[in-house]
Amino acid sequence: AEKGGDTKSKTTSPGSKFVGTFSDPINHPGGTRTIRLLENDDSKIGDYQLAEVAGGGGVGEPKNYILPAVVIGDRAIVIDFSPKGGPKDFTGVLDKDGSSIKFLRDGNVWPRLKKEKSSP
């Protein structure tokens, strides 16, 4: 018999729209930025969800780094770039179709990379 749903009680957070892997072709060509939501008891208050950005590998940046972030519903992400020597409150918004994040302070855009099928 087929079950009507997943056995895990998992709710989709509005912040999940920001989850994925992006590139930074203007500032750090060749690099990637993977955004994930943190999932623990203290990671969410209202529609504020703690997240992290794992990045690196681009021109002029470390091979790997992790930046703390907070996603505000499906409206904005605020990334703390201070571990890389940048500002601690860099705000970005998704475009209408979710294909990129545009940063308000400098106009930089991170295009979303297409999902690749991974083999188990």
Side-chain angles (χ1 to χ4, degrees):
E2 212 175 302
K3 289 188 178 183
D6 197 292
T7 53
K8 294 179 183 176
S9 61
K10 193 173 186 182
T11 56
T12 303
S13 165
S16 64
K17 292 182 178 185
F18 284 90
V19 171
T21 301
F22 298 81
S23 64
D24 187 357
I26 296 171
N27 292 336
H28 302 287
T32 59
R33 287 89 181 86
T34 300
I35 299 171
R36 74 174 191 95
L37 300 177
L38 300 182
E39 301 287 341
N40 61 50
D41 292 341
D42 300 324
S43 66
K44 188 170 184 189
I45 299 175
D47 63 352
Y48 287 74
Q49 174 80 42
L50 293 178
E52 69 178 19
V53 180
V59 175
E61 70 175 349
K63 186 174 179 179
N64 296 296
Y65 58 83
I66 294 180
L67 303 174
V70 64
V71 173
I72 306 165
D74 61 357
R75 300 181 304 281
I77 185 169
V78 181
I79 303 172
D80 179 355
F81 281 92
S82 63
K84 281 184 62 180
K88 64 179 179 177
D89 57 354
F90 218 67
T91 303
V93 295
L94 279 174
D95 64 0
K96 290 183 183 187
D97 65 2
S99 66
S100 64
I101 297 174
K102 180 175 183 178
F103 290 90
L104 305 178
R105 188 173 299 175
D106 65 356
N108 189 28
V109 174
W110 288 0
R112 185 183 297 270
L113 297 176
K114 300 277 187 234
K115 288 183 181 177
E116 293 181 19
K117 291 182 180 179
S118 59
S119 54

